[in-house]
């Protein structure tokens, strides 16, 4: 960050500095004394110059050329002239002047803005925006110039014109949270902890896991977002694809909340009402894109244990494509997570019938069948316990067929039948 170094080294007397773990790339130390005032335009910084050899010696020679005879004797050097000692009140005024407290200098303005109050995301203005410039708001499309570096100053990304929608999680959180605090035309330095960048996964091959980053951001433009109703078919496809790709990037970093948000935005761009006619091919393209986004949304919701939402997303896919294997598989998994094995098994069998070689479906189905059998045995044992241990049934007599009935049971049944007949006769006689 050559540009950041030149500006960071020319601001002496800062009231606060960034933490040491980010200072190496945010404010690199300058060699030699810092200038008290910025140099005029077009003139290199003073720290880039060195004192020419012999300059100090020449000044010493000029001082030595004075005639010693013109100097006062040493014993007379500390004595003031007679007229000064005779001025009344001079010593008193000098004493009072030394006793008066000097006015305290005005505190320097805070250079670093702690955006979240936890010290993990900070912003410093390097070049302020022009007078009267405004700040962007959520939903606007902004264009920024970005230089991204590691803490040690290694440049890992350069974007001359990065375009994204503010607040839509299209970029890392460090940008989404800091750009709303910038004026159009402003250049700022942002130091961000890894949790607001690429997290524990990093971004191979340039950004390692858990890497804090330094961002030099210039906000170029900020315009209102597009009206979804006025978008053409191809514009809708392009917008939905961008949101879906952002969701895929978040999913790969295991940030499933932001992934689900991006997929939702893509589906909104596809399904919003349109005032512009579209061709049949464009509608088919949007339908295929919608199915992809719903499937990815269901996968994110499964990771977040949002089973009802995931089941709804899978059902929407199956409304358009009843034989969609991914939707069938995920719906079966959702039902299995909810303990609905009797409903999940037929769905997984239907998915396996469509793709018999799929080992993942095979493994999931086998696991569910075993769980369902264990569930049924548990329920059977519970019912027996509720009915008073009906396991004490009379043992079968040896040598008799499966349909043989013990004579005690037969006698009891006959007695009950005769008693019922007698009771009915008595009731009929009374009537």
């Amino acid at each position: 960050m050559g540009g950041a170094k030149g500006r960071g080294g020319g601001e002496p007397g800062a009231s606060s500095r960034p933490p040491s773990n980010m200072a190496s790339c945010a404010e690199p130390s300058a060699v030699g004394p810092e200038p008290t005032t910025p140099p005029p335009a077009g003139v290199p910084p003073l720290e880039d110059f060195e004192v020419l050899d012999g300059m100090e010696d020449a000044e010493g020679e000029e001082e030595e050329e004075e005639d010693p005879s013109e100097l006062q004797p040493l014993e007379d050097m500390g004595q003031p002239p007679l007229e000064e000692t005779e001025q009344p009140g001079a010593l008193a005024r000098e004493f009072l002047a030394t006793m008066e407290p000097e006015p305290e200098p005005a505190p320097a303005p805070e250079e670093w803005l702690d955006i979240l109050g936890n010290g993990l995301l900070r912003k410093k203005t390097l070049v302020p925006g022009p007078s009267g410039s405004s700040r962007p708001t959520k939903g606007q499309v902004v264009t920024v110039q970005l230089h991204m570096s590691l803490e040690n100053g290694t440049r890992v990304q350069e974007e001359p014109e990065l375009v994204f929608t503010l607040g839509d999680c299209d970029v890392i959180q460090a940008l989404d949270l800091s750009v709303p605090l910038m004026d159009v035309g402003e250049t700022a330095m942002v130091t961000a902890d890894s949790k607001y960048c690429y997290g524990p996964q990093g971004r191979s091959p340039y950004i390692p896991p858990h890497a804090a980053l330094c961002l030099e951001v210039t906000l170029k433009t900020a315009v209102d977002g597009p009206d979804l109703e006025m978008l053409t078919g191809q514009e809708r496809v392009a917008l939905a694809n961008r949101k879906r790709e952002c969701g895929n990037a978040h999913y790969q970093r295991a940030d499933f909340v932001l992934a689900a948000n991006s997929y939702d935005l893509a589906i909104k761009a596809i399904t919003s009402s349109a005032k512009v006619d579209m061709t049949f091919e464009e509608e088919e393209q949007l339908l295929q894109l919608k199915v992809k986004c719903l499937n990815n949304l269901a996968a994110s919701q499964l990771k977040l244990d949002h089973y009802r939402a995931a089941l709804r997303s899978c059902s929407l896919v199956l409304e358009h494509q009843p034989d969609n294997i991914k939707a069938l598989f995920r719906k079966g998994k959702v039902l299995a997570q909810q303990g609905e094995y009797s409903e999940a098994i037929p769905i997984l069998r239907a998915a396996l019938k469509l793709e018999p070689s799929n080992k993942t479906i095979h493994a999931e189905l086998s696991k569910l069948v075993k769980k369902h059998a264990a569930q049924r045995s548990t329920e059977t044992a519970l019912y027996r316990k509720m009915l008073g241990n009906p396991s004490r049934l009379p043992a079968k007599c040896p040598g008799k067929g499966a349909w043989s009935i013990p004579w005690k049971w037969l006698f009891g049944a006959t007695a009950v039948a005769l008693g019922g007949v007698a009771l009915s006769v008595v009731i009929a006689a009374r009537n």
Side-chain angles (χ1 to χ4, degrees):
M1 286 189 180
K5 290 182 181 179
R7 288 185 289 268
E11 297 184 6
S15 59
S16 63
R17 302 181 71 88
S20 60
N21 63 336
M22 293 187 183
S24 59
C25 58
E27 287 188 273
S29 60
V31 178
E34 298 181 350
T36 57
T37 58
V43 179
L46 292 179
E47 61 191 25
D48 293 342
F49 291 95
E50 297 181 358
V51 178
L52 298 179
D53 296 337
M55 287 294 293
E56 296 179 355
D57 298 337
E59 292 178 0
E61 292 175 359
E62 291 179 0
E63 293 179 357
E64 292 175 1
E65 289 178 356
E66 295 181 3
D67 189 359
S69 61
E70 297 179 0
L71 299 178
Q72 298 180 358
L74 290 178
E75 58 268 17
D76 297 335
M77 289 291 291
Q79 297 179 1
L82 182 61
E83 58 270 14
E84 290 184 5
T85 57
E86 293 177 355
Q87 291 180 359
L91 294 176
R93 285 194 297 271
E94 183 179 352
F95 175 76
L96 292 176
T98 58
M99 293 298 294
E100 291 180 0
E102 297 182 358
E104 297 182 359
E110 289 289 338
E111 292 185 352
W112 286 93
L113 172 64
D114 192 349
I115 296 177
L116 299 178
N118 56 7
L120 301 180
L121 184 62
R122 294 191 169 203
K123 169 188 172 290
K124 174 183 177 181
T125 300
L126 300 179
V127 180
S131 178
S133 58
S134 60
R135 292 186 173 182
T137 57
K138 182 179 179 181
Q140 285 191 315
V141 178
V142 298
T143 303
V144 302
Q145 180 181 356
L146 175 65
H147 299 287
M148 185 183 297
S149 302
L150 301 177
E151 287 182 296
N152 59 9
T154 303
R155 186 70 57 86
V156 293
Q157 183 178 355
E158 289 188 9
E159 294 286 349
E161 288 190 351
L162 177 63
V163 181
F164 61 94
T165 303
L166 203 58
D168 278 7
C169 305
D170 293 346
V171 291
I172 58 176
Q173 287 183 286
L175 280 175
D176 239 351
L177 295 173
S178 59
V179 170
L181 303 176
M182 297 176 60
D183 297 327
V184 176
E186 176 183 341
T187 299
M189 175 72 70
V190 177
T191 58
D193 185 75
S194 63
K195 69 182 295 186
Y196 304 111
C197 300
Y198 293 97
Q201 285 75 28
R203 194 186 70 182
S204 180
Y206 303 110
I207 301 177
H210 302 287
L213 296 177
C214 297
L215 316 174
E216 184 178 333
V217 188
T218 300
L219 178 56
K220 291 186 172 183
T221 61
V223 297
D224 292 335
D227 185 359
L228 296 180
E229 293 183 346
M230 302 304 297
L231 293 179
T232 64
Q234 290 303 316
E235 289 173 339
R236 282 176 183 268
V237 170
L239 177 60
N241 258 325
R242 287 199 299 270
K243 301 300 181 185
R244 182 178 64 87
E245 290 170 359
C246 290
N248 293 345
H250 292 310
Y251 191 93
Q252 291 173 358
R253 295 200 299 269
D255 201 335
F256 304 116
V257 174
L258 296 184
N261 178 75
S262 296
Y263 294 136
D264 269 329
L265 292 173
I267 295 170
K268 180 182 177 182
I270 295 170
T271 58
S272 60
S273 59
K275 295 182 179 179
V276 179
D277 295 334
M278 288 183 286
T279 63
F280 177 77
E281 290 77 11
E282 290 173 342
E283 291 180 353
E284 283 295 317
Q285 197 174 0
L286 287 172
L287 178 59
Q288 296 295 327
L289 194 55
K290 178 183 177 182
V291 168
K292 290 181 181 179
C293 293
L294 284 170
N295 260 329
N296 294 350
L297 177 61
S300 301
Q301 291 164 339
L302 262 175
K303 292 290 187 180
L304 297 169
D305 296 336
H306 296 169
Y307 299 129
R308 290 185 179 179
L311 188 62
R312 184 168 57 252
S313 299
C314 293
S315 300
L316 288 174
V317 173
L318 295 173
E319 288 180 6
H320 298 293
Q321 296 180 358
D323 293 338
N324 190 287
I325 296 176
K326 289 183 178 180
L328 288 171
F329 175 71
R330 289 184 179 127
K331 185 174 183 179
K333 286 195 67 173
V334 171
L335 292 172
Q337 292 287 347
Q338 294 177 326
E340 303 291 342
Y341 301 121
S342 58
E343 297 182 31
I345 289 174
I347 293 175
L348 289 179
R349 282 177 176 164
L352 188 61
K353 186 178 179 180
L354 293 171
E355 193 172 336
S357 60
N358 194 310
K359 296 181 180 179
T360 305
I361 301 177
H362 263 293
E364 188 69 22
L365 183 58
S366 300
K367 183 173 64 176
L368 288 189
V369 170
K370 293 178 181 178
K371 286 185 177 180
H372 190 213
Q375 185 186 52
R376 291 184 64 181
S377 62
T378 303
E379 291 175 353
T380 302
L382 181 63
Y383 291 151
R384 286 180 176 176
K385 187 176 181 181
M386 291 173 61
L387 294 175
N389 196 11
S391 59
R392 294 181 180 177
L393 297 176
K396 295 182 180 180
C397 297
K400 294 186 178 180
W403 296 98
S404 62
I405 302 176
W407 66 271
K408 291 182 179 180
W409 284 30
L410 184 61
F411 177 78
T414 304
V416 171
L418 291 176
V421 172
L423 182 60
S424 61
V425 170
V426 171
I427 294 173
R430 288 183 178 180
N431 292 336

